[in-house]
Amino acid sequence: MEQKYIQTAIDYKKNIAGKFVLVEGAKLKQRVEGERLCVTKKIDGHLQVVFWQDGQVFMLNASGKQKAEKLKCLDAFAEAMKAAGVKSATIAAELYLPRPDGRPRCGDVAAALADDAKRDELSLAPFDIIELDGEPWKVEHYSETYKKLEKLFIVESLKLKVESSLVTPVQMRNATNHDEVQEIYDEWVVGEGAEGLVVHSESPMVWKVKPRHTIDAAVIGYTTADRGIRDLMFAVRRPDGLYQMFVLGSTGLTDEQRADIAQRLSTKHVESQYVLSDSRGIAYQMVKPELVFEISVLELVARGNDDKIKMNPLLRYLPSPVGEGSGGEAGWLMEGVTPGVVALGITIDQERTDKQPNETDVRISQLTDICPFEEEAPSTLHLQPSTLLERHVYKKVSGAKVMLHKFLLWKTNKEQSGRYPAYIIYHTDFSSSRKELIKRDMLYSNDEQQISDLLAAEIADNVKKGWEEVK
């Protein structure tokens, strides 16, 4: 595959993502402006850039990767180009699986690509033109783009009786004010359950209008500022009991609520292998999963602008005391990362004192019903070996009792995989007189300064008077 095609696909996703402004459906009248509005129905599929070059058709995703070569919808695309007499074209489209009983879902695409019985049902919905017959496509208004798409994939195809049902431009209506956009929203989104609208106007700005989704989630961590809570860390729970963290935020809380929640959470601190810092470099304080809040989000995204699958931390909470004299909670264990979502436009609506952080009240299906998680493809990434940055061993002897603490700080060199943190502290605690001779603990971070501070704190907490550092 030539690099110029790969770069075109990557650049298009980055450029179009920068134009979008996410708007809540209930507030579209306050946000959407213009007199020449083109309203298209948003399709929940996979963005593809489709190329027609030298009589050949192929498509690349936002990462510049070719997921499929032989699809009936690509054959239909090629026939439409031939019927219209087009020599070359680069067109953006959504690849989706039509559902007769409801709106398409992005998760259906990967499943269909892996299922020979479903592959031929995949369809393309062109919505933008990047290049046509060797010239970059530049027009003053989106209406001109849509007219050209109609001509290419409907008018010319019908003239020559070319089968084009697998390639049809996104559905579009014109509007002259936000009241008319509201009517379209009520029909398509509220009435028919469409994912949302995309609204083009005379300005370069493009509005993506979507409804809010309500989710009950457990608080598992927090950071503070002068007013109290700065941000809360939310997670949902899987059937196997593990917690999946998917969003951080505090929008919607009053100053009084921030102070009250911070005071209540200050009594629920627990230890954690999982470490996450906020934008100030301050680590989230992990807590017992006891508080449940109803939050609302504008959008859940399973893939980023780079077409990479979004990964969520997967955590296990152990409430039972660990070790002799611990007197506390075992806290949070890091189980790895898993395909999930990120949430955009979070608002905290209310605390749900009637709900518990169990597999029913904060169930993970609240997320997957809105945005199915992507399935991770088998990795072909070559993982680099880890680098040992620091090694500290301390020894203490008291009569026949021998005690050791060993601290290893590793740089994993695997953080780009999305499955591993950048740094890991591995702590081994040995005591010859203890029933459990060896205890092990790990701490994680993606920040170099933070992992250094964590190592210093871990040594200070465990190595007191009478310990000797050994080689």
Side-chain angles (χ1 to χ4, degrees), residues 430-463:
F430 170 81
S431 176
S432 61
S433 63
R434 192 170 56 206
K435 182 177 180 181
E436 184 183 358
L437 293 177
I438 298 178
K439 294 181 181 180
R440 298 177 177 88
D441 192 18
M442 287 192 290
L443 294 171
Y444 308 81
S445 179
N446 287 317
D447 184 84
E448 184 176 4
Q449 183 59 52
Q450 183 181 64
I451 201 71
S452 179
D453 293 343
L454 287 171
L455 177 60
E458 190 78 356
I459 293 175
D461 287 345
N462 290 277
V463 180

Side-chain angles (χ1 to χ4, degrees), residues 15 25 42 50 64 74 96 138 144 178 237 270 318 379 453 457:
N15 293 336
K42 193 173 186 310
V50 188
L74 286 177
Y96 69 101
K138 294 182 179 180
E144 298 175 62
H178 56 231
R237 204 160 182 189
V270 294
L318 297 179
S379 176
D453 293 343

Side-chain angles (χ1 to χ4, degrees), residues 25 27 40 93 135 162 256 312 332 379 401 418 430 455 460 462:
K27 298 180 180 179
T40 61
E135 297 293 331
V162 173
E256 291 77 9
N312 293 155
W332 293 97
S379 176
K401 183 179 179 181
F430 170 81
L455 177 60
N462 290 277

Side-chain angles (χ1 to χ4, degrees), residues 212-216 294-297 349 366 370:
R212 278 199 168 275
H213 302 285
T214 299
I215 300 162
D216 292 325
E294 177 186 295
I295 66 174
S296 60
V297 299
D349 297 328
Q366 294 177 103
I370 300 168

Side-chain angles (χ1 to χ4, degrees), residues 52-247:
W52 171 247
Q53 299 288 333
D54 302 321
Q56 301 294 318
V57 64
F58 57 94
M59 65 183 183
L60 304 177
N61 64 17
S63 296
K65 297 179 181 178
Q66 191 171 7
K67 284 191 174 182
E69 298 181 39
K70 296 180 180 180
L71 294 175
K72 278 194 173 182
C73 60
L74 286 177
D75 294 338
F77 186 99
E79 291 300 317
M81 292 293 96
K82 293 175 186 176
V86 175
K87 295 180 181 178
S88 69
T90 306
I91 292 176
E94 286 286 341
L95 179 66
Y96 69 101
L97 184 69
R99 279 190 174 191
D101 57 343
R103 72 174 175 90
R105 297 283 184 172
C106 62
D108 294 340
V109 177
L113 288 171
D115 185 349
D116 291 338
K118 291 287 187 180
R119 285 170 62 91
D120 290 346
E121 297 178 26
L122 286 166
S123 299
L124 284 167
F127 64 86
D128 200 4
I129 302 173
I130 302 170
E131 173 271 326
L132 196 62
D133 284 334
E135 297 293 331
W137 182 258
K138 294 182 179 180
V139 293
E140 293 185 0
H141 197 273
Y142 182 76
S143 59
E144 298 175 62
T145 297
Y146 194 80
K147 285 179 182 177
K148 190 63 176 181
L149 290 173
E150 283 187 310
K151 183 174 176 61
L152 291 173
F153 296 103
I154 298 177
V155 177
E156 296 299 329
S157 295
L158 289 175
K159 284 181 181 178
L160 297 181
K161 298 182 179 180
V162 173
E163 173 59 48
S164 60
S165 62
L166 294 176
V167 184
T168 305
V170 292
Q171 194 171 348
M172 193 278 282
R173 287 188 189 172
N174 293 304
T176 59
N177 54 58
H178 56 231
D179 287 324
E180 293 181 4
V181 177
Q182 182 69 60
E183 292 176 1
I184 298 171
Y185 179 88
D186 291 342
E187 179 184 342
W188 284 352
V189 181
V190 179
E192 299 177 8
E195 182 190 8
L197 306 179
V198 177
V199 184
H200 300 260
S201 70
E202 301 90 337
S203 72
M205 186 182 300
V206 181
W207 292 281
K208 182 160 55 172
V209 186
K210 304 187 74 172
R212 278 199 168 275
H213 302 285
T214 299
I215 300 162
D216 292 325
V219 175
I220 63 172
Y222 74 103
T223 57
T224 58
D226 293 339
R227 294 179 296 170
I229 291 296
R230 184 176 191 262
D231 274 317
L232 295 173
M233 178 186 293
F234 291 102
V236 289
R237 204 160 182 189
R238 309 193 327 169
D240 59 9
L242 297 181
Y243 289 80
Q244 186 162 331
M245 195 278 282
F246 71 101
V247 70

Side-chain angles (χ1 to χ4, degrees), residues 303-342:
R303 284 181 179 267
N305 293 335
D306 55 4
D307 204 50
K308 292 183 179 179
I309 295 173
K310 292 297 183 182
M311 307 297 287
N312 293 155
L314 201 57
L315 308 172
R316 182 185 301 279
Y317 180 69
L318 297 179
S320 56
V322 174
E324 294 179 358
S326 65
E329 303 291 337
W332 293 97
L333 303 180
M334 180 73 174
E335 295 284 340
V337 293
T338 185
V341 295
V342 294

Side-chain angles (χ1 to χ4, degrees), residues 373-443:
F373 302 162
E374 299 281 357
E375 291 187 13
E376 196 173 17
S379 176
T380 58
L381 180 67
H382 176 66
L383 297 177
Q384 297 296 322
S386 299
T387 302
L388 180 62
L389 299 181
E390 294 187 43
R391 179 180 183 273
H392 303 278
V393 181
Y394 298 88
K395 182 179 181 180
K396 184 177 182 180
V397 179
S398 178
K401 183 179 179 181
V402 178
M403 295 165 284
L404 293 170
H405 280 296
K406 181 167 70 174
F407 304 91
L408 303 177
L409 172 57
W410 295 90
K411 187 177 187 307
T412 68
N413 301 317
K414 303 173 182 63
E415 59 269 29
Q416 296 303 319
S417 70
R419 298 197 63 87
Y420 300 92
Y423 301 95
I424 294 177
I425 295 170
Y426 190 82
H427 175 202
T428 304
D429 173 7
F430 170 81
S431 176
S432 61
S433 63
R434 192 170 56 206
K435 182 177 180 181
E436 184 183 358
L437 293 177
I438 298 178
K439 294 181 181 180
R440 298 177 177 88
D441 192 18
M442 287 192 290
L443 294 171

